[in-house]
Amino acid sequence: MPRRRSDSPSSSTAPRNRTPQPVRVRRRSFGDFVKAFLAFVALLVLLVGVPLALAMTAGWPFPDTFEPMEWLKQDISVSTFLSILTFIVWLAWAQFTACVLVEMKAALSGVGVPGRVPGAGPSQLLARQLVAALLLVGATAASFTPSLAQLGQTYDDNQRPTVAAAQQTPGLFAQQQEQAAGTAAAVAEQASHTEAAPAAKKQGDTKFYRIQPPEGRHHDSLWEIAERHLGDGRRYKEIFELNKDRVQPDGSRLNEASLIRPGWIMEMPGDARGGDLVEMPDDAPEVSPEVRQQISDYAKTGDGASGGGDHAQGSGSGGGTAQVNVPEQRPAPAGGTGHADLRRPAPEQVATPAQDSSSFGLPEALLAAPLLAAGLLGALGHRRRQALWQSAFGGIGGRRGMEPPTPTGDALDVQDALLVGADPEGVRLLDRSLRGLAASLAAESRPLPTVYAAWLSNGDLHLQLAQPSGKPPAPWQLGQDQTFWMLARADAGSYEDVDTAAPYPGLVSLGTMDDSRLLLNLESVPGIVSLSGREEDRAAVFASVAAELATNGWSDRMTITLVGFGEDLTALAPSRLRHLDGIEALIETMEAETRQRRGALGAAGHDSVLTGRTGPAQHTRWAPHLVLLAAEPSPDDAMTLAELAADASRLGIGYLVGTGSGDLPGAAWEMEITGAGKLLAPLLGLELDAQLLPAAQQRAVVELFTESDPERSPDGPGTTPPFLVDISEQGRPAVYARLVGAYEIIGLETPDGERSALLHEALALLLLHREGVHPRVLSSALWPRGVTDDVREALIGRLRDWLGTDPDGSPRLRTDDTGRLTLAKSVVSDLDVLRSLYHEATQGKGVDSRAVRGRLLTDALVLVRGPLLADRPEGRYRWLTHEIVDAQLPLLVADTGLALAEFHLEKGRAEKAIEALNAALRTAPSDERLWNELLRATHALDDPARLTALASDLVARGGARGLPPRTEALLDELLPTWRDAVAAAG
């Protein structure tokens, strides 16, 4: 969709005047030289004068002899006290000297942030200010000593690989497309201006900025430069584009927005303002001749001097660089250009579904998280089915109930939000696309490329690779550059389920930017991902990440370790999630696992988990292990984690660590969550609407899962249906719908026109949810791709008119106190009657009357005409995939058949029992209990040939899996010779 443009003229998104304006640079004043001289004198006194004075007056701090026991026996005198005080002064001098050395090294190297000297906060600050003042007048030195800067960088890399990797990791999304319409407009204006009058631009119209050494702060960054001189840090991309790949005075080039060096020249946009900007060329006498010549030479490299190379140039520079960009959405090239159509249409050319404008009080966080909602909804359905099956097959006594608890309050709102927000089709396409890609690469004997992130944009899938990996297998295409592989949504539909391991199970949603959703591959990050911000905001991000990783549909196996939060979240997926009490336990665990994975990779001959994940081995040890640490580690623990994470991406281990200060040692990628729900990483070019799971929604989600846990209560699911029907003659309904089998409605006229199918589907949804249906759940079920409020309200009005009113004048379609739609008791389905008959036979009047029980069970079984909504049209009723009624109905029919068979066998009527069991098997053909009871009823006929024929039928149905253990044991008891008899029968 087109990006919104602010109306404010001062907004950073507004077009800017790009006419160059001369700006005088601030000259080095006499005061600057005085400050530098005083700083030199102060450093000389503190570094040389202090130790000389101490040595002459108080002596060296070291004792003449080393005899600790003798020291302890001496009396404490004034001399002893002075010796201790002298030692402390010597120690303070040594600490300050170390601070000066650290700051001097960082200033001369021009790379990275100065290291921290333990316990030297004020001392290091003083040293930083003195060093900065001393180097202020000699800032040009950095540009004349490139070899020194490179040497310092290499030394730092060798000595501290983890921290160096963190400092030098290129910016995630560093070259992404413009985030604001104004920035794009400014670039477009500049391009059009250049095309219209290429010769009009002169050197004198251009402004330049020279990267400064640190001066009492961190090193210069493009973000800070843009913030000071352009008024908006997000405009750093304009500076980057103006200077990308141009030769700098030291011979190097700018190819990553996060890596700049003191002494480099930056051409600035025409509307730049403020000090430190240099006008060009001849009217800047305050600039030294050398610098003036450097700027003049640099200016000659601009204005397309490089030949207008492709924007993707340098995208693959250096292995392992993380240049993850927002996928560009550009129109395809015009015909006849000779270029393949490798890009999707622009966003404004893609039709997007209309959405409801009101949330009706449902949690917005889950409504805006379709992949997370789909995972939670699928896991919740699985948990509820598990409870049903365990209740049916786990106990000797048979059924203990089949009705899951009906959520209330926040849990009900969250369940509705999951139903509305879930995008199971998107999850299915993502899973099939990734597995299909892995299968295609394996067929070509090609390794999986390292993927840093995935973008879902208007249904298309863009994978951002760590480095170019050649041409992707069809139907994948190259995207906007060599580091993008793109799959169109239409092509993704061609993939079928394949038997291969999930290639990128560590992908997890972080949020959205415009119409694109970002999934970060946590296990591929070259180090730690840090998350700063307020504790409650960080907790919402951590909970969202943990919940999606635990329940997503594009993963197989994985381990997710939670530290400092989320002990209750383990209920979502006990097999995936585990909680550790503290950082010490985490470090001990991860040290052991890191050693084990390194050894396993070496033994298998793989260089990374990717080469072993989808190959012939496909060993379970290649499943990822993702660590989510919400508690801020101490500096020592942080360095230990950084050392472990230095090799983690190769081993399939990922770290997401929270920090309140925003400064985490060893962090490769740094992110911040704001109170407004924005996920920011300025140096990485990242600004997302964060995906969150706030505390209230987290508790409600956990409640849904714990209430559905089959192990939570020995009674299992409830035994009372949510809606009981008056089954007497007086309880005849006004509207009766047959859902079990072919769909049929009695008591209403069939609506005319094309809306009939929609009204029937809406009524079926309401009949299956007698507790009520939220209007947004109804609309999302009928229109999964979205619908406007007026269309939904029109449907509800037509449905209300169609159902009519009861004799007392009350409408049969009503709205309860919570705003949910409910049906009157006069509107009944055969499923309601079936549940009521079985309940009355087993827990009501049938308990005390055998005749009543037999009649009720017989009437119930007569209602069963086939599966639920057997004749539903293609493409409709997709919401049934979220329901558990497809598991409830077969179990209910099986229970009814078993109860009726038992009723007949009590009187020796084996044929009647067999008839009842066969009727139940038509709806529940895979229920082992029915087959076992059928064997017993057939055995009661005392007809070995008929029992053998039934055994042969069962063996044929079992196929290669064979008979279930209980059935096989039962046959051994009833017909010991069944194996020989079945073999003889062929």
Side-chain angles (χ1 to χ4, degrees):
M1 294 179 63
R3 304 191 180 191
R4 294 186 296 271
R5 182 173 298 177
S6 172
D7 295 331
S8 171
S10 63
S11 170
S12 63
T13 63
R16 293 174 173 83
N17 177 19
R18 306 189 64 81
T19 303
Q21 299 291 332
V23 177
R24 294 288 180 181
V25 69
R26 175 182 174 273
R27 302 182 59 181
R28 296 284 184 260
S29 64
F30 178 75
D32 292 333
F33 287 95
V34 171
K35 289 180 182 178
F37 176 74
L38 293 177
F40 174 77
V41 172
L43 286 173
L44 188 66
V45 170
L46 291 173
L47 296 181
V48 181
V50 169
L52 289 177
L54 286 173
M56 294 175 61
T57 58
W60 296 105
F62 306 106
D64 297 333
T65 59
F66 186 78
E67 296 180 357
M69 295 304 299
E70 293 297 328
W71 299 345
L72 294 176
K73 295 178 182 179
Q74 292 180 1
D75 295 332
I76 298 179
S77 61
V78 174
S79 176
T80 304
F81 177 77
L82 291 175
S83 298
I84 296 174
L85 185 60
T86 300
F87 179 78
I88 294 175
V89 175
W90 274 108
L91 189 62
W93 171 83
Q95 185 188 57
F96 178 77
T97 303
C99 293
V100 172
L101 294 176
V102 167
E103 294 295 328
M104 187 68 73
K105 173 183 175 297
L108 292 178
S109 67
V111 178
V113 177
R116 293 181 176 180
V117 177
S123 297
Q124 190 162 6
L125 179 60
L126 175 61
R128 182 176 305 167
Q129 292 173 340
L130 292 175
V131 170
L134 179 63
L135 297 181
L136 181 62
V137 296
T140 57
S143 64
F144 301 133
T145 57
S147 58
L148 180 61
Q150 294 170 1
L151 177 62
Q153 184 176 359
T154 305
Y155 175 81
D156 195 50
D157 286 345
N158 293 334
Q159 294 299 318
R160 299 184 61 179
T162 302
V163 176
Q167 294 168 348
Q168 297 181 31
T169 300
L172 177 65
F173 325 127
Q175 301 172 9
Q176 70 180 44
Q177 69 181 39
E178 306 301 339
Q179 296 179 351
T183 303
V187 174
E189 185 180 347
Q190 181 189 34
S192 63
H193 178 76
T194 303
E195 293 175 0
K201 185 175 180 180
K202 303 177 181 178
Q203 284 186 331
D205 296 331
T206 307
K207 299 174 200 170
F208 294 89
Y209 176 83
R210 198 160 182 277
I211 305 300
Q212 299 298 314
E215 184 177 351
R217 53 174 176 82
H218 293 327
H219 285 50
D220 244 343
S221 70
L222 293 187
W223 177 278
E224 293 173 333
I225 296 170
E227 200 164 45
R228 289 198 306 269
H229 300 295
L230 300 177
D232 187 353
R234 290 174 294 185
R235 293 186 62 191
Y236 79 93
K237 294 181 290 298
E238 296 180 50
I239 306 175
F240 175 80
E241 291 299 332
L242 286 172
N243 299 276
K244 179 184 176 185
D245 293 330
R246 294 168 65 176
V247 178
Q248 293 291 337
D250 62 1
S252 57
R253 299 172 185 262
L254 171 68
N255 50 35
E256 299 299 336
S258 59
L259 297 181
I260 59 176
R261 300 178 185 175
W264 277 9
I265 310 297
M266 293 290 117
E267 182 179 345
M268 299 293 290
D271 58 343
R273 299 288 187 275
D276 297 333
L277 293 178
V278 179
E279 60 178 335
M280 278 299 295
D282 299 325
D283 51 348
E286 66 277 6
V287 180
S288 67
E290 293 116 344
V291 174
R292 196 183 318 168
Q293 184 61 43
Q294 289 176 1
I295 297 177
S296 180
D297 294 339
Y298 183 79
K300 296 176 183 178
T301 66
D303 297 327
S306 60
D310 184 64
H311 180 71
Q313 179 182 357
S315 61
S317 60
T321 57
Q323 302 175 10
V324 185
N325 309 336
V326 177
E328 292 184 9
Q329 303 294 317
R330 301 177 182 172
T337 61
H339 298 288
D341 179 7
L342 301 182
R343 296 181 173 94
R344 293 296 94 196
E348 56 268 20
Q349 297 175 315
V350 179
T352 56
Q355 300 294 331
D356 290 324
S357 60
S358 173
S359 65
F360 280 93
L362 298 182
E364 289 285 358
L366 291 172
L367 294 177
L371 304 184
L372 170 61
L376 289 172
L377 196 60
L380 181 60
H382 176 76
R383 181 68 55 84
R384 287 174 172 173
R385 286 180 173 86
Q386 186 181 16
L388 290 174
W389 295 328
Q390 183 166 329
S391 179
F393 300 102
I396 299 176
R399 297 268 333 127
R400 298 197 302 261
M402 67 181 64
E403 303 300 334
T406 301
T408 59
D410 289 344
L412 179 57
D413 289 340
V414 163
Q415 177 177 275
D416 287 341
L418 295 179
L419 290 167
V420 174
D423 182 15
E425 179 66 13
V427 171
R428 185 182 68 86
L429 288 178
L430 177 61
D431 181 45
R432 286 186 172 182
S433 300
L434 295 176
R435 294 180 194 267
L437 174 64
S440 299
L441 290 172
E444 298 176 6
S445 299
R446 295 173 59 186
L448 282 169
T450 300
V451 169
Y452 280 139
W455 287 91
L456 289 172
S457 181
N458 293 318
D460 300 338
L461 174 61
H462 304 255
L463 296 183
Q464 175 62 67
L465 314 184
Q467 56 189 2
S469 298
K471 183 179 180 180
W476 290 79
Q477 302 174 348
L478 285 175
Q480 64 198 49
D481 60 44
Q482 294 291 324
T483 61
F484 269 102
W485 284 4
M486 190 272 290
L487 180 67
R489 183 182 181 91
D491 296 330
S494 63
Y495 275 119
E496 300 293 337
D497 293 329
V498 293
D499 184 19
T500 189
Y504 304 112
L507 286 170
V508 63
S509 303
L510 290 185
T512 58
M513 179 185 295
D514 297 332
D515 295 325
S516 299
R517 180 172 302 276
L518 169 67
L519 289 85
L520 179 68
N521 190 6
L522 276 178
E523 68 168 333
S524 72
V525 177
I528 292 175
V529 179
S530 70
L531 178 67
S532 62
R534 296 186 309 175
E535 184 176 359
E536 57 270 26
D537 298 325
R538 299 200 316 265
V541 175
F542 273 102
S544 170
V545 170
E548 184 170 298
L549 288 173
T551 60
N552 71 49
W554 54 88
S555 302
D556 296 324
R557 293 182 63 259
M558 71 167 61
T559 300
I560 308 158
T561 299
L562 312 180
V563 184
F565 81 107
E567 185 173 3
D568 56 339
L569 287 174
T570 56
L572 273 58
S575 61
R576 285 192 182 185
L577 289 169
R578 68 175 179 181
H579 179 267
L580 295 181
D581 293 331
I583 299 178
E584 291 184 3
L586 172 66
I587 291 177
E588 181 180 355
T589 299
M590 297 315 299
E591 285 178 341
E593 178 152 353
T594 299
R595 288 193 301 269
Q596 186 273 332
R597 291 202 174 208
R598 284 196 184 116
L601 278 178
H606 297 306
D607 57 351
S608 75
V609 295
L610 289 179
T611 57
R613 179 168 289 163
T614 59
Q618 292 192 17
H619 200 281
T620 56
R621 73 183 65 179
W622 311 135
H625 185 167
L626 304 176
V627 175
L628 308 181
L629 174 58
E632 183 169 7
S634 66
D636 291 341
D637 289 337
M639 291 307 301
T640 301
L641 290 174
E643 292 172 2
L644 291 172
D647 198 29
S649 60
R650 187 177 68 92
L651 305 176
I653 302 175
Y655 294 86
L656 177 62
V657 181
T659 172
S661 63
D663 186 9
L664 186 69
W669 293 346
E670 297 178 345
M671 301 183 185
E672 177 189 0
I673 179 65
T674 70
K678 293 288 186 179
L679 190 65
L680 307 176
L683 296 181
L684 309 180
L686 179 65
E687 181 175 354
L688 299 173
D689 293 322
Q691 179 171 295
L692 307 172
L693 185 60
Q697 280 83 63
Q698 177 182 334
R699 289 191 296 269
V701 167
V702 171
E703 180 182 341
L704 287 174
F705 278 80
T706 54
E707 289 292 332
S708 302
D709 192 343
E711 301 294 339
R712 184 173 182 271
S713 170
D715 296 331
T719 58
T720 302
F723 177 69
L724 289 174
V725 178
D726 183 357
I727 57 177
S728 66
E729 285 295 329
Q730 292 75 22
R732 185 179 296 275
V735 179
Y736 181 69
R738 292 178 174 175
L739 304 179
V740 184
Y743 192 4
E744 181 183 358
I745 298 178
I746 301 172
L748 292 176
E749 295 291 336
T750 302
D752 296 330
E754 298 179 354
R755 296 191 178 99
S756 176
L758 203 61
L759 291 173
H760 278 75
E761 186 175 358
L763 179 57
L765 178 62
L766 290 166
L767 285 167
L768 293 177
H769 290 276
R770 303 303 304 224
E771 72 278 8
V773 176
H774 196 284
R776 286 210 60 180
V777 174
L778 177 66
S779 61
S780 66
L782 300 180
W783 295 282
R785 300 181 62 186
V787 68
T788 55
D789 295 346
D790 56 339
V791 174
R792 180 189 60 238
E793 294 303 323
L795 171 76
I796 294 175
R798 281 190 291 269
L799 183 60
R800 182 175 285 110
D801 294 339
W802 180 42
L803 292 175
T805 59
D806 282 335
D808 61 359
S810 59
R812 292 176 181 146
L813 178 61
R814 305 167 181 177
T815 302
D816 65 11
D817 295 338
T818 65
R820 290 173 171 80
L821 301 171
T822 61
L823 293 173
K825 293 184 178 181
S826 58
V827 183
V828 173
S829 72
D830 55 354
L831 184 58
D832 296 327
V833 177
L834 177 60
R835 287 168 168 164
S836 301
L837 288 171
Y838 177 77
H839 179 266
E840 193 67 25
T842 56
Q843 301 181 51
K845 298 177 181 178
V847 174
D848 300 323
S849 173
R850 172 181 168 79
V852 172
R853 181 168 73 253
R855 176 173 57 80
L856 293 173
L857 291 173
T858 301
D859 291 345
L861 207 56
V862 168
L863 291 175
V864 181
R865 301 175 297 119
L868 187 75
L869 298 167
D871 61 346
R872 58 181 179 267
E874 183 73 20
R876 289 199 174 275
Y877 298 87
R878 293 183 178 177
W879 46 268
L880 280 173
T881 58
H882 302 317
E883 307 286 341
I884 64 168
V885 67
D886 61 333
Q888 288 176 307
L889 179 59
L891 291 175
L892 175 60
V893 173
D895 287 346
T896 305
L898 290 170
L900 187 56
E902 181 183 5
F903 171 81
H904 288 306
L905 287 175
E906 289 176 354
K907 293 297 184 180
R909 297 192 291 264
E911 286 289 358
K912 288 288 186 181
I914 292 173
E915 182 181 345
L917 292 168
N918 283 326
L921 280 168
R922 284 192 287 271
T923 300
S926 61
D927 197 311
E928 181 186 352
R929 299 171 302 154
L930 290 175
W931 289 108
N932 292 346
E933 197 62 28
L934 186 59
L935 287 171
R936 295 188 182 95
T938 305
H939 178 263
L941 295 175
D942 197 17
D943 186 347
R946 189 169 174 178
L947 185 59
T948 301
L950 179 58
S952 299
D953 186 25
L954 283 174
V955 170
R957 287 175 178 271
R961 294 176 301 174
L963 294 176
R966 293 182 182 180
T967 303
E968 188 172 350
L970 179 60
L971 270 175
D972 289 338
E973 174 64 25
L974 301 178
L975 188 64
T977 61
W978 69 274
R979 291 180 176 84
D980 296 334
V982 169

